[in-house]
Amino acid sequence: MFTGTLAPVTNADDWIESVEVTDEETGDLIDISGATEIEINVRDQATRATRLTGSLTGGEITRPQTGVFSWS
């Protein structure tokens, strides 16, 4: 599992995001086409309560190209 921080967004806009998965040593994109699941859980910064979830199997996350996953 990897954990990261995303830039803040407003709830008045559509949230469209793409994440590149790269090799830390070479900077090359990692082929994630064999991944059976990618999941995102967005939590409130203050309370840590889950506010938004999405997954590859649920259809909210896509893999538009090698080494990239996206959601909107």
Side-chain angles (χ1 to χ4, degrees):
M1 175 172 63
F2 296 98
T3 303
T5 302
L6 302 168
V9 294
T10 174
N11 64 359
D13 293 325
D14 291 336
W15 187 21
I16 301 168
E17 190 79 41
S18 292
V19 176
E20 291 184 345
V21 182
T22 58
D23 182 293
E24 195 171 20
E25 293 180 12
T26 67
D28 295 337
L29 290 171
I30 296 172
D31 184 1
I32 58 172
S33 62
T36 57
E37 185 62 289
I38 299 172
E39 183 177 291
I40 183 169
N41 294 292
V42 179
R43 295 186 179 99
D44 183 279
Q45 186 174 3
T47 65
R48 304 293 295 155
T50 299
R51 297 293 184 200
L52 178 70
T53 62
S55 67
L56 185 62
T57 56
E60 298 88 8
I61 295 176
T62 61
R63 291 175 290 201
Q65 65 186 59
T66 300
V68 177
F69 66 92
S70 301
W71 65 87
S72 61

Coordinates of all heavy atoms in Angstrom, one line a residue:
M1 N 0.8 -1.2 0.0 CA 0.0 0.0 0.0 C 0.9 1.2 0.0 O 1.9 1.3 0.7 CB -0.9 0.0 1.2 CG -1.7 1.3 1.3 SD -3.0 1.3 2.6 CE -2.1 1.2 4.1
F2 N 0.5 2.2 -0.8 CA 1.2 3.5 -0.8 C 0.2 4.6 -0.3 O -1.0 4.5 -0.6 CB 1.6 3.8 -2.3 CG 2.6 2.9 -2.8 CD1 2.2 1.8 -3.6 CD2 3.9 3.0 -2.5 CE1 3.1 1.0 -4.1 CE2 4.8 2.1 -3.0 CZ 4.4 1.1 -3.8
T3 N 0.7 5.5 0.5 CA -0.1 6.6 1.0 C 0.5 7.9 0.6 O 1.8 8.0 0.5 CB -0.1 6.5 2.6 OG1 -0.6 5.2 2.9 CG2 -0.9 7.6 3.2
G4 N -0.3 8.8 0.2 CA 0.2 10.1 -0.2 C -0.8 11.2 0.2 O -1.9 11.0 0.7
T5 N -0.4 12.4 -0.2 CA -1.2 13.6 0.1 C -1.6 14.3 -1.2 O -0.7 14.5 -2.1 CB -0.5 14.6 1.0 OG1 -0.2 13.9 2.2 CG2 -1.3 15.8 1.3
L6 N -2.8 14.7 -1.4 CA -3.3 15.3 -2.6 C -3.5 16.8 -2.3 O -3.8 17.2 -1.2 CB -4.6 14.7 -3.1 CG -4.5 13.2 -3.4 CD1 -5.8 12.6 -3.6 CD2 -3.6 13.0 -4.7
A7 N -3.4 17.6 -3.4 CA -3.7 19.0 -3.2 C -5.1 19.3 -2.9 O -6.0 18.5 -3.4 CB -3.3 19.8 -4.5
P8 N -5.5 20.3 -2.1 CA -6.9 20.6 -1.8 C -7.7 20.9 -3.0 O -7.1 21.5 -4.0 CB -6.8 21.8 -0.9 CG -5.4 21.9 -0.4 CD -4.6 21.2 -1.5
V9 N -8.9 20.6 -3.0 CA -9.9 20.9 -4.1 C -11.1 21.5 -3.5 O -11.5 21.2 -2.3 CB -10.2 19.7 -5.0 CG1 -9.0 19.2 -5.8 CG2 -10.8 18.6 -4.2
T10 N -11.9 22.2 -4.3 CA -13.1 22.8 -3.8 C -14.3 21.8 -4.2 O -14.2 21.1 -5.2 CB -13.4 24.2 -4.4 OG1 -14.7 24.6 -4.0 CG2 -13.3 24.2 -5.9
N11 N -15.3 21.9 -3.4 CA -16.5 21.0 -3.7 C -17.4 21.7 -4.8 O -18.4 21.1 -5.2 CB -17.3 20.6 -2.5 CG -17.9 21.8 -1.8 OD1 -17.7 23.0 -2.2 ND2 -18.6 21.6 -0.7
A12 N -17.0 22.8 -5.3 CA -17.8 23.5 -6.3 C -17.3 23.1 -7.7 O -17.9 23.5 -8.7 CB -17.6 25.0 -6.1
D13 N -16.2 22.4 -7.8 CA -15.6 22.0 -9.1 C -15.6 20.5 -9.3 O -15.7 19.7 -8.3 CB -14.2 22.5 -9.3 CG -14.1 24.0 -9.3 OD1 -15.0 24.6 -9.9 OD2 -13.1 24.5 -8.8
D14 N -15.5 20.0 -10.6 CA -15.3 18.6 -10.8 C -13.8 18.3 -10.4 O -12.9 19.2 -10.5 CB -15.4 18.3 -12.3 CG -16.8 18.4 -12.8 OD1 -17.8 18.3 -11.9 OD2 -17.1 18.6 -14.0
W15 N -13.6 17.1 -9.8 CA -12.3 16.8 -9.4 C -11.8 15.7 -10.4 O -12.2 14.6 -10.3 CB -12.3 16.3 -8.0 CG -10.9 16.0 -7.4 CD1 -9.7 16.5 -7.8 CD2 -10.6 15.2 -6.3 NE1 -8.7 16.0 -7.0 CE2 -9.2 15.2 -6.1 CE3 -11.4 14.4 -5.5 CZ2 -8.6 14.5 -5.1 CZ3 -10.8 13.7 -4.5 CH2 -9.4 13.8 -4.3
I16 N -10.9 16.1 -11.2 CA -10.3 15.2 -12.2 C -8.8 15.1 -11.9 O -8.1 16.2 -11.9 CB -10.5 15.6 -13.6 CG1 -12.0 15.7 -13.9 CG2 -9.9 14.7 -14.6 CD1 -12.4 16.4 -15.2
E17 N -8.3 13.9 -11.6 CA -6.9 13.8 -11.2 C -6.2 12.6 -11.9 O -6.9 11.6 -12.1 CB -6.8 13.6 -9.7 CG -5.5 13.7 -9.1 CD -5.0 15.1 -8.9 OE1 -5.8 16.0 -8.5 OE2 -3.8 15.4 -9.2
S18 N -5.0 12.7 -12.2 CA -4.2 11.6 -12.7 C -2.9 11.5 -11.9 O -2.3 12.5 -11.5 CB -3.8 11.8 -14.2 OG -4.9 11.7 -15.0
V19 N -2.5 10.2 -11.6 CA -1.4 10.0 -10.8 C -0.4 9.1 -11.6 O -0.8 8.1 -12.2 CB -1.7 9.3 -9.5 CG1 -0.5 8.9 -8.7 CG2 -2.7 10.1 -8.7
E20 N 0.8 9.5 -11.7 CA 1.8 8.7 -12.4 C 2.6 7.8 -11.4 O 3.0 8.3 -10.3 CB 2.9 9.6 -13.1 CG 2.3 10.3 -14.3 CD 3.4 11.1 -15.1 OE1 4.5 11.3 -14.5 OE2 3.2 11.4 -16.2
V21 N 2.7 6.6 -11.7 CA 3.4 5.6 -10.8 C 4.8 5.4 -11.4 O 4.9 4.8 -12.5 CB 2.7 4.3 -10.6 CG1 3.4 3.4 -9.7 CG2 1.2 4.6 -10.2
T22 N 5.8 5.9 -10.7 CA 7.2 5.8 -11.3 C 8.2 5.1 -10.4 O 8.0 5.0 -9.2 CB 7.8 7.3 -11.5 OG1 7.8 7.9 -10.3 CG2 6.9 8.0 -12.6
D23 N 9.2 4.5 -11.1 CA 10.3 3.9 -10.3 C 11.1 4.9 -9.7 O 11.5 5.9 -10.3 CB 11.1 3.1 -11.3 CG 12.2 2.3 -10.7 OD1 13.1 3.0 -10.1 OD2 12.2 1.1 -10.7
E24 N 11.3 4.8 -8.4 CA 12.0 5.8 -7.6 C 13.4 6.1 -8.1 O 13.9 7.2 -8.0 CB 11.9 5.5 -6.1 CG 12.3 6.6 -5.2 CD 12.1 6.2 -3.8 OE1 12.0 5.0 -3.4 OE2 12.0 7.1 -2.9
E25 N 14.1 5.0 -8.5 CA 15.5 5.1 -8.9 C 15.7 5.6 -10.4 O 16.5 6.4 -10.6 CB 16.1 3.7 -8.7 CG 16.3 3.3 -7.3 CD 16.9 2.0 -7.1 OE1 17.5 1.4 -8.1 OE2 16.9 1.5 -6.0
T26 N 14.8 5.1 -11.3 CA 15.0 5.4 -12.7 C 14.1 6.5 -13.2 O 14.3 7.1 -14.2 CB 14.8 4.2 -13.6 OG1 13.4 3.8 -13.5 CG2 15.7 3.1 -13.2
G27 N 13.0 6.7 -12.5 CA 12.0 7.7 -13.0 C 11.1 7.2 -14.1 O 10.2 7.9 -14.6
D28 N 11.3 5.9 -14.5 CA 10.4 5.3 -15.5 C 9.0 5.0 -15.0 O 8.9 4.6 -13.8 CB 11.1 4.0 -16.0 CG 12.4 4.2 -16.7 OD1 12.6 5.3 -17.2 OD2 13.2 3.2 -16.7
L29 N 8.0 5.1 -15.8 CA 6.7 4.7 -15.4 C 6.6 3.2 -15.2 O 7.2 2.4 -15.9 CB 5.7 5.1 -16.5 CG 5.4 6.6 -16.7 CD1 4.6 6.8 -18.0 CD2 4.8 7.2 -15.5
I30 N 5.9 2.8 -14.2 CA 5.7 1.4 -13.9 C 4.5 0.9 -14.5 O 3.4 1.5 -14.4 CB 5.7 1.2 -12.3 CG1 7.0 1.6 -11.7 CG2 5.3 -0.2 -12.0 CD1 7.0 1.6 -10.2
D31 N 4.5 -0.3 -15.1 CA 3.4 -0.9 -15.8 C 2.4 -1.4 -14.7 O 2.7 -2.4 -14.0 CB 3.8 -2.0 -16.7 CG 2.7 -2.7 -17.5 OD1 1.5 -2.2 -17.3 OD2 2.9 -3.6 -18.2
I32 N 1.3 -0.8 -14.6 CA 0.3 -1.2 -13.6 C -0.9 -1.9 -14.2 O -1.9 -2.1 -13.6 CB -0.2 0.0 -12.8 CG1 -0.8 1.1 -13.7 CG2 0.9 0.6 -11.9 CD1 -1.5 2.2 -12.9
S33 N -0.7 -2.3 -15.5 CA -1.9 -3.0 -16.2 C -2.3 -4.3 -15.5 O -3.4 -4.7 -15.7 CB -1.5 -3.2 -17.7 OG -0.4 -4.1 -17.8
G34 N -1.4 -4.9 -14.8 CA -1.7 -6.2 -14.2 C -2.4 -6.0 -12.8 O -2.8 -7.0 -12.1
A35 N -2.5 -4.8 -12.3 CA -3.1 -4.5 -11.0 C -4.6 -5.0 -11.0 O -5.3 -4.6 -11.9 CB -3.0 -3.1 -10.6
T36 N -4.9 -5.7 -10.0 CA -6.3 -6.2 -9.9 C -7.2 -5.2 -9.1 O -8.4 -5.2 -9.2 CB -6.4 -7.5 -9.3 OG1 -5.8 -7.5 -8.0 CG2 -5.7 -8.6 -10.1
E37 N -6.6 -4.3 -8.4 CA -7.3 -3.3 -7.7 C -6.4 -2.1 -7.4 O -5.2 -2.2 -7.1 CB -7.8 -3.8 -6.3 CG -8.7 -2.9 -5.5 CD -10.0 -2.5 -6.2 OE1 -9.9 -1.7 -7.2 OE2 -11.0 -2.9 -5.8
I38 N -7.0 -0.9 -7.6 CA -6.5 0.4 -7.1 C -7.6 1.1 -6.4 O -8.7 1.1 -6.9 CB -6.0 1.2 -8.3 CG1 -4.9 0.5 -9.1 CG2 -5.6 2.6 -7.9 CD1 -4.6 1.2 -10.4
E39 N -7.3 1.5 -5.2 CA -8.4 2.2 -4.4 C -7.9 3.5 -3.8 O -6.7 3.6 -3.5 CB -8.7 1.2 -3.2 CG -9.8 1.7 -2.4 CD -10.1 0.7 -1.3 OE1 -10.7 -0.4 -1.6 OE2 -9.8 0.9 -0.1
I40 N -8.8 4.4 -3.8 CA -8.5 5.7 -3.2 C -9.5 6.0 -2.1 O -10.7 5.7 -2.2 CB -8.5 6.9 -4.2 CG1 -8.1 8.2 -3.5 CG2 -9.8 7.0 -4.9 CD1 -7.8 9.3 -4.5
N41 N -9.0 6.4 -0.9 CA -9.8 6.8 0.2 C -9.4 8.2 0.6 O -8.2 8.5 1.0 CB -9.6 5.9 1.4 CG -10.1 4.5 1.1 OD1 -11.3 4.3 1.0 ND2 -9.2 3.6 1.0
V42 N -10.3 9.2 0.5 CA -10.0 10.6 0.8 C -10.6 10.8 2.2 O -11.8 10.6 2.4 CB -10.6 11.5 -0.2 CG1 -10.3 13.0 0.2 CG2 -10.0 11.2 -1.6
R43 N -9.8 11.3 3.1 CA -10.2 11.5 4.5 C -10.2 13.0 4.9 O -9.3 13.7 4.4 CB -9.3 10.7 5.5 CG -9.5 9.2 5.3 CD -8.7 8.5 6.4 NE -8.8 7.1 6.2 CZ -8.0 6.3 5.6 NH1 -6.8 6.8 5.1 NH2 -8.2 5.0 5.4
D44 N -11.0 13.4 5.7 CA -11.0 14.7 6.3 C -9.7 14.9 7.1 O -9.4 14.1 7.9 CB -12.2 14.9 7.2 CG -12.3 16.3 7.7 OD1 -11.6 16.6 8.7 OD2 -13.1 17.1 7.2
Q45 N -9.1 16.0 6.8 CA -7.8 16.3 7.4 C -7.9 16.4 8.9 O -7.0 15.9 9.7 CB -7.1 17.5 6.8 CG -5.7 17.8 7.3 CD -5.1 19.0 6.6 OE1 -5.7 19.6 5.8 NE2 -3.8 19.2 6.9
A46 N -8.9 17.0 9.4 CA -9.1 17.2 10.8 C -9.6 16.0 11.6 O -9.0 15.6 12.6 CB -10.0 18.4 11.1
T47 N -10.6 15.3 11.1 CA -11.2 14.2 11.8 C -10.7 12.9 11.3 O -11.0 11.9 12.0 CB -12.7 14.3 11.6 OG1 -13.1 14.0 10.3 CG2 -13.3 15.6 12.1
R48 N -10.1 12.8 10.2 CA -9.7 11.5 9.6 C -10.8 10.7 9.1 O -10.7 9.5 8.8 CB -8.7 10.7 10.5 CG -7.5 11.5 11.0 CD -6.5 11.8 9.9 NE -5.9 10.6 9.4 CZ -5.4 10.5 8.2 NH1 -5.4 11.6 7.4 NH2 -4.9 9.4 7.8
A49 N -12.1 11.2 9.1 CA -13.2 10.5 8.7 C -13.2 10.3 7.1 O -12.8 11.3 6.4 CB -14.5 11.2 9.1
T50 N -13.5 9.2 6.6 CA -13.6 9.0 5.1 C -14.7 9.8 4.5 O -15.8 9.8 5.0 CB -13.8 7.5 4.8 OG1 -12.7 6.7 5.4 CG2 -13.8 7.3 3.3
R51 N -14.3 10.6 3.5 CA -15.2 11.5 2.8 C -15.5 11.0 1.4 O -16.6 11.3 0.8 CB -14.7 12.9 2.7 CG -14.5 13.5 4.1 CD -15.8 13.7 4.7 NE -15.6 14.4 6.0 CZ -16.5 14.4 6.9 NH1 -17.7 13.8 6.8 NH2 -16.3 15.1 8.1
L52 N -14.6 10.3 0.8 CA -14.8 9.9 -0.6 C -14.0 8.6 -0.8 O -12.8 8.5 -0.3 CB -14.3 11.0 -1.5 CG -14.3 10.7 -3.0 CD1 -15.7 10.7 -3.5 CD2 -13.5 11.8 -3.7
T53 N -14.5 7.7 -1.6 CA -13.8 6.5 -1.9 C -14.0 6.2 -3.4 O -15.0 6.6 -4.0 CB -14.3 5.2 -1.1 OG1 -15.6 4.9 -1.4 CG2 -14.1 5.4 0.3
G54 N -13.1 5.5 -4.0 CA -13.2 5.0 -5.4 C -12.3 3.9 -5.6 O -11.3 3.7 -4.9
S55 N -12.6 3.1 -6.6 CA -11.8 1.9 -6.9 C -11.8 1.5 -8.4 O -12.6 2.0 -9.1 CB -12.3 0.7 -6.1 OG -13.5 0.3 -6.5
L56 N -10.8 0.8 -8.8 CA -10.7 0.3 -10.1 C -11.8 -0.7 -10.4 O -12.5 -0.5 -11.4 CB -9.3 -0.5 -10.3 CG -9.0 -1.0 -11.7 CD1 -8.9 0.2 -12.7 CD2 -7.7 -1.7 -11.6
T57 N -12.1 -1.6 -9.5 CA -13.2 -2.6 -9.7 C -14.6 -1.9 -9.6 O -15.5 -2.4 -10.3 CB -13.1 -3.7 -8.7 OG1 -13.2 -3.2 -7.4 CG2 -11.9 -4.5 -8.9
G58 N -14.7 -0.8 -8.9 CA -16.0 -0.1 -8.9 C -16.2 0.8 -10.1 O -17.3 1.4 -10.3
G59 N -15.1 1.1 -10.9 CA -15.3 1.9 -12.1 C -14.9 3.3 -11.9 O -14.9 4.1 -12.9
E60 N -14.7 3.8 -10.7 CA -14.3 5.2 -10.5 C -12.9 5.5 -10.9 O -12.6 6.7 -11.2 CB -14.5 5.6 -9.0 CG -15.9 5.5 -8.5 CD -16.2 4.1 -8.0 OE1 -15.3 3.2 -7.8 OE2 -17.4 3.8 -7.7
I61 N -12.0 4.5 -10.9 CA -10.6 4.7 -11.3 C -10.4 4.0 -12.6 O -10.9 2.9 -12.8 CB -9.7 4.2 -10.2 CG1 -9.9 5.0 -8.9 CG2 -8.2 4.2 -10.6 CD1 -9.1 4.5 -7.7
T62 N -9.6 4.7 -13.5 CA -9.3 4.1 -14.8 C -7.8 4.1 -14.9 O -7.0 4.8 -14.2 CB -9.9 4.9 -15.9 OG1 -9.4 6.2 -15.9 CG2 -11.4 4.9 -15.8
R63 N -7.3 3.3 -15.9 CA -5.8 3.3 -16.3 C -5.7 3.8 -17.7 O -5.7 3.0 -18.6 CB -5.3 1.9 -16.1 CG -5.2 1.5 -14.7 CD -4.7 0.1 -14.6 NE -5.8 -0.8 -15.1 CZ -5.9 -2.1 -14.8 NH1 -5.1 -2.7 -14.0 NH2 -6.9 -2.8 -15.3
P64 N -5.6 5.1 -17.9 CA -5.6 5.6 -19.3 C -4.4 5.3 -20.1 O -4.4 5.3 -21.3 CB -5.8 7.1 -19.1 CG -5.3 7.4 -17.8 CD -5.6 6.2 -17.0
Q65 N -3.3 5.1 -19.4 CA -2.0 4.7 -20.1 C -1.1 4.0 -19.1 O -1.3 4.0 -17.9 CB -1.3 6.0 -20.7 CG -0.9 7.0 -19.6 CD -0.4 8.2 -20.2 OE1 -1.1 8.9 -20.9 NE2 0.9 8.6 -19.9
T66 N 0.0 3.4 -19.7 CA 0.9 2.7 -18.8 C 1.5 3.6 -17.7 O 1.9 4.7 -18.0 CB 2.1 2.2 -19.7 OG1 1.6 1.3 -20.7 CG2 3.1 1.5 -18.8
G67 N 1.4 3.1 -16.5 CA 1.9 3.8 -15.3 C 1.1 5.0 -14.8 O 1.5 5.7 -14.0
V68 N -0.2 5.1 -15.3 CA -1.0 6.2 -14.9 C -2.4 5.7 -14.5 O -3.0 4.8 -15.2 CB -1.2 7.2 -16.0 CG1 -2.2 8.4 -15.6 CG2 0.1 7.8 -16.4
F69 N -2.9 6.2 -13.3 CA -4.3 5.9 -13.0 C -5.0 7.3 -12.8 O -4.4 8.3 -12.4 CB -4.5 5.0 -11.9 CG -4.0 5.4 -10.5 CD1 -4.9 6.0 -9.6 CD2 -2.7 5.2 -10.1 CE1 -4.4 6.4 -8.4 CE2 -2.2 5.6 -8.9 CZ -3.1 6.2 -8.0
S70 N -6.3 7.3 -13.1 CA -7.1 8.6 -13.0 C -8.4 8.4 -12.4 O -8.9 7.2 -12.3 CB -7.3 9.1 -14.4 OG -6.1 9.3 -15.1
W71 N -9.0 9.5 -11.9 CA -10.4 9.4 -11.5 C -11.0 10.8 -11.7 O -10.3 11.8 -11.9 CB -10.5 9.1 -10.0 CG -9.9 10.1 -9.0 CD1 -10.5 11.2 -8.5 CD2 -8.6 10.1 -8.5 NE1 -9.7 11.9 -7.7 CE2 -8.5 11.2 -7.7 CE3 -7.5 9.2 -8.7 CZ2 -7.3 11.5 -7.0 CZ3 -6.3 9.5 -8.0 CH2 -6.2 10.6 -7.2
S72 N -12.3 10.8 -11.7 CA -13.1 12.1 -11.9 C -14.4 12.0 -11.1 O -14.8 10.9 -10.8 CB -13.4 12.4 -13.3 OG -14.2 11.4 -13.9

